[in-house]
Amino acid sequence: METIDLISLRNYTRRTGQPTHPELLDARPMEHVTKIEIDEEHVTIEYNEKTTRFYNVNEITKNEWIYKYNDDPEFVAAVAGVIDLARRHLKDVPENITCPPGCAECCSGYEPFVSRADVERIADHLGISYGQALRQYVVPRKSADGYYVGWLRKIGDDVADQCIFLMGDRSGRYYCGIYPARPNDCREFTPIGCHDVDTTLSHGRRFKVGPPFRPKHRRSKRHR
Ligand code: SF4
Ligand code: SF4
């Protein structure tokens, strides 16, 4: 039985190169969907399409039909599982989300996908060329829609290794070495299901960090 979870959906994107950016997904088939129901045996989708016909007067006819998917009960159960999980975690997310200073657990085990704009911003921030940033800090893998060019490298080959830009020491005081230029994926990261967030902390506090990440070899912008 194949298990679907929210993280492996990202891996699915990586494996297949399917579109990953919501704006680029073709959502047209969903335009007329009025209801989706999922139980142990069926995914039921109800469509409701309005057709306008002109015959002496304007007349509106409604076409309604139902699509039931039940060929593969395991698939249906897996989809239901994902939806349930998402619902449960949405309820879990506290209102006042604050990360404990220096935590950065998510900067290991999570690989931020980067767009061309992300890499350009990081290159500018580090004072290196786009090509150099791409070669040194990105594992190249274009998504089919061309939006993502790859994901940020880790310090090692293990998926649980730290992000190449993570700075700090083993005392648990980590920080992002390119914070002002970090990828959009990191900016928008939602700690769904993250047990480390602390709702008692204030949002206004400043966390003292060390020096920013510096590339080993800088190149003049003139040579780009
Ligand atoms: S999102 Fe979670 S793991 Fe990441 S820094 Fe915040 S508390 Fe830590
Ligand atoms: S770029 Fe910064 S915020 Fe993003 S994973 Fe790396 S260290 Fe963490």
Side-chain angles (χ1 to χ4, degrees), residues 52-60:
T52 309
R53 294 209 180 111
F54 298 96
Y55 180 75
N56 289 338
V57 289
N58 287 352
E59 183 191 349
I60 296 173

Side-chain angles (χ1 to χ4, degrees), residues 28-29 31-34 46-53 60-65:
R28 270 170 305 172
E31 271 173 16
H32 300 293
V33 170
T34 53
E46 287 187 28
Y47 296 82
N48 184 354
E49 187 170 271
K50 285 183 182 173
T51 316
T52 309
R53 294 209 180 111
I60 296 173
T61 333
K62 278 188 183 175
N63 285 337
E64 285 186 328
W65 70 99

Side-chain angles (χ1 to χ4, degrees), residues 151-181:
W151 62 88
L152 284 191
R153 280 191 193 283
K154 306 282 200 156
I155 55 170
D157 294 333
D158 193 331
V159 77
D161 281 336
Q162 292 174 7
C163 168
I164 198 156
F165 294 123
L166 188 63
M167 310 279 287
D169 53 39
R170 302 235 166 251
S171 64
R173 307 288 290 184
Y174 291 103
Y175 62 96
C176 174
I178 55 159
Y179 192 75

Side-chain angles (χ1 to χ4, degrees), residues 99-100 103-106 189 191 194 196-197:
C99 304
C103 171
E105 276 281 321
C106 49
F189 187 77
C194 175
D196 299 327
V197 288

